[in-house]
Amino acid sequence: MASILPEILMSILSTIRVPRPGDRVHKDECAFSFASPESDGGLYVCMNSFLGFGSKYVERHHAKTGQRAYLHITRTRKTQVMSHTLQVQQWDGEVRQESKHAAELKQLDNGVKIPPCGWKCEVCDLQENLWMNLTDGKVFCGRRYFDGSGGNNHALLHYQQTGYPLAVKLGTITPDGADVYSYDEDDMVLDFKLPEHLSHFGIDMMTMEKLEIAVNQRVGEWEVIQESGTTLRPLWGPGLTGMKNLGNSCYLNSVMQVLFTIPDFQTKYVSIIDKIFNEAPSDPTQDFKTQENTEIDSAHVQEKPFLSLIFFVQGDQVGIVPRMFKALVGRGHPEFSTNRQQDAQEFLLHFINMVERNCRSGMNPSEAFRFLVEEKIVCQQSQKAKYTQRVDYIVQLPVPMDQATNMEELQEAERRREEVESSGAPPSAAPRAQIPFAACLAALSEPETLTDFWSSAVQSKTTATKTTRFASFPDHLVIQIKKFTFGLDWVPKKLDVSIDVPDTLDLSALLAMGQQPGEELLPEVAPPPLMTPDVEHSLSVCACLSAPVLDDSTVSQLCEMGFPLEACRKAVYYTGNTGIDAAMNWVMGHMEDPDFSAPLVLAGSSSAPGTTPTESLPEEHLATIVSMGFSRDQATRALRATNNVLERAVDWIFSHLDDLESMDVSEGGRSEGGSEASREPPPGPRVRDGTGKYELFAFISHMGTSTMCGHYVCHIKKDQQWVIFNDQKVCASEKPPKDLGYLYFYRRVVE
């Protein structure tokens, strides 16, 4: 026996290695579930791969790999006594952690005393978005926002020069607390010694009043959406598990909670759970299918061991921690890979795009949202029409502010505001605009006038009208209320509106009818091509090619907004000179394209899609892209747009899925006989179709002044009961604020 033990010990030691630089040690979360050191049974960390496994999966990993050495980590949560006033939810809605610097923060005895008003940045003299450093009392402006507003980064530069970690935002200090930011921890934090730290510089918290009027005007929105005025009954169990906020991750939590309820996603990732786990790669944390399955399984699995993941701390449900999932879906993305707040609608589209990439073959759950849109353009000079179809996943519903039912109240409030501003008194809260849902739907369907449309019938620019209709109705319909817009100064703003969104919806009247009897179509002649450097020489010697026709005024307007010249020219070209709105939408939808600022590379000089290119393409690159499920024409277009670089072409093709699929439908879906009047689905992307009658089952709401800040929660209807998911808090909803939502989710009513 004594001789056997050393052999066993040596066998075990041979599987143990020391982490090297670059190794990820997953000591906080299971690779296949959301088990953590706080879960029942704790967490087991493999001493060779450094992956973490809950008690449910460690035996499976041992059987699969033969690994025998694991570090067992358990953690017991202790209740911490906190000041009630300082743990009050902050304005951004996030649950903040106590800063590690708060207890022993160094404060300089430099005699600095901060006055109660009249603040300005010590470098640039800005008088808004000001932060006072809690170590030396210096006042500087905050970060510069994406649109150039906000500040000049002087508070951040001061930290980089001094290392003083904590700063408080002036204008947010009240007897209940303040906004405190830790540069070292890169997050908003709690400072439980804040009264003492402020007093050091002559600030008495108990006498301060919050001065940010714009935020105070939103207080009603925060309270109503979170239903904070009533005592809500907590819920837990399968399908009722909260998700912990990782720091501005409420947009992800809200979107994923809704997707959990859709049968297509459950079928794709839950029904084959064992198969996915057994086929997972050596590092499942980097595998989309495994992590997507982990996300849905942890919210819906019916097995009792999962209930051990639910904790209650002072009445709050901690919930699952989607740390690895967030890292995976945000990997490589300039925004979703950060800890900043994001737009829930943009994340939903990003996630759908990831699903599309990983489901090119087999069942694709994103088909539940996919539908076809028919756009009909009628040349007002020739009265000839053009029909195109494109793929979409979300209906963007405009908000016609001029249709408010309380217009007189709004006008009176605006008059009072102007009087108050002229007198110098602080403004009062403005009333919320009441917009009928029917008015929003009418604004979506009414014809749009195009003043610079290039008509192939008259071979010149003229006026046209464009109408948009549904060419198919999806199983699940997502409606985005376009609350976020730009002011006259191009600064983003949020419309404060209440919309009477219905529980049931019938869109049958918006069904596209196709080409009408006796209606003539515009000739299939493309506008003259855009001149690009790679074809300039050939154009100069080929008299048969026309010069490009671009609306210079539209290009100039886009350039004045700060967009690159080549991007502006492409926007005008790809939207067919249809005006600034269409070009602006193209720019906003393609800003993250890898070739956004690069010159447009056309296939040859004036060749149309599908014609033989003038230069050869690497056949092996074409074969690689075609093997991924794309057509040869699509692969050709991607390679030409990226100078035949395969890696860039793959990124390009996935970021242009809608454009490519729309190309297939509009260019390949029309027969010589003009069969558009029929209801036969055109070739191209696979879509489901059915009745246009829907019922509301979920909605996501946003609180705050911009998608880049604030907080998201979602309400989901489960067993005829509305449930509010506010990160880890899951409760029965008493008054679901359906009129204040941002994203609405409907499912088809089957008659």
Side-chain angles (χ1 to χ4, degrees), residues 358-429:
N358 289 271
C359 297
R360 298 297 300 184
S361 60
M363 178 188 176
N364 186 343
S366 65
E367 289 179 6
F369 299 122
R370 189 188 295 163
F371 61 96
L372 290 177
V373 176
E374 179 190 272
E375 292 183 345
K376 175 183 178 181
I377 298 179
V378 178
C379 168
Q380 293 300 291
Q381 189 169 344
S382 67
Q383 291 302 308
K384 295 183 179 181
K386 174 184 179 181
Y387 289 86
T388 59
Q389 289 185 341
R390 59 178 171 83
V391 173
D392 215 332
Y393 297 88
I394 294 179
V395 177
Q396 294 184 313
L397 210 57
V399 180
M401 297 297 291
D402 59 346
Q403 298 295 311
T405 57
N406 59 336
M407 186 61 71
E408 292 184 1
E409 180 186 14
L410 296 174
Q411 293 173 345
E412 176 62 21
E414 177 64 18
R415 186 188 63 78
R416 291 197 304 267
R417 184 189 66 80
E418 293 175 354
E419 292 178 352
V420 168
E421 284 187 352
S422 62
S423 66
S428 58

Side-chain angles (χ1 to χ4, degrees), residues 343 345 394-400 435 437 440-441 478-485 494-495 497-501 700 738-744 746:
D343 187 341
Q345 180 258 0
I394 294 179
V395 177
Q396 294 184 313
L397 210 57
V399 180
I435 310 294
F437 182 82
C440 300
L441 210 57
V478 185
I479 294 179
Q480 175 197 14
I481 303 297
K482 297 180 67 175
K483 289 186 173 184
F484 300 97
T485 182
K494 179 181 177 182
L495 302 177
V497 295
S498 170
I499 301 177
D500 59 338
V501 176
I700 295 175
K738 289 180 286 187
D739 61 320
L740 299 180
Y742 174 47
L743 296 176
Y744 293 88
Y746 285 84

Side-chain angles (χ1 to χ4, degrees), residues 711-748:
H711 184 54
Y712 288 95
V713 302
C714 69
H715 287 73
I716 304 175
K717 197 171 186 179
K718 293 177 176 284
D719 298 326
Q720 303 305 312
Q721 165 69 57
W722 282 100
V723 179
I724 178 173
F725 291 80
N726 189 350
D727 289 330
Q728 69 267 32
K729 301 176 183 177
V730 181
C731 299
S733 173
E734 295 293 334
K735 294 182 178 180
K738 289 180 286 187
D739 61 320
L740 299 180
Y742 174 47
L743 296 176
Y744 293 88
F745 295 80
Y746 285 84
R747 57 189 166 215
R748 193 195 316 277

Side-chain angles (χ1 to χ4, degrees), residues 498-573:
S498 170
I499 301 177
D500 59 338
V501 176
D503 289 321
T504 59
L505 193 60
D506 188 351
L507 300 178
S508 303
L510 297 181
L511 177 64
M513 302 304 294
Q515 183 181 356
Q516 298 300 298
E519 186 177 52
E520 293 187 59
L521 298 179
L522 284 167
E524 290 291 341
V525 180
L530 174 66
M531 174 115 37
T532 55
D534 61 310
V535 300
E536 185 173 1
H537 175 69
S538 61
L539 286 175
S540 65
V541 297
C542 184
C544 64
L545 296 177
S546 303
V549 178
L550 292 178
D551 185 353
D552 293 335
S553 63
T554 304
V555 174
S556 299
Q557 289 182 65
L558 291 174
C559 289
E560 290 172 359
M561 297 174 194
F563 299 113
L565 172 61
E566 291 299 332
C568 299
R569 298 178 72 197
K570 284 194 286 187
V572 175
Y573 176 78

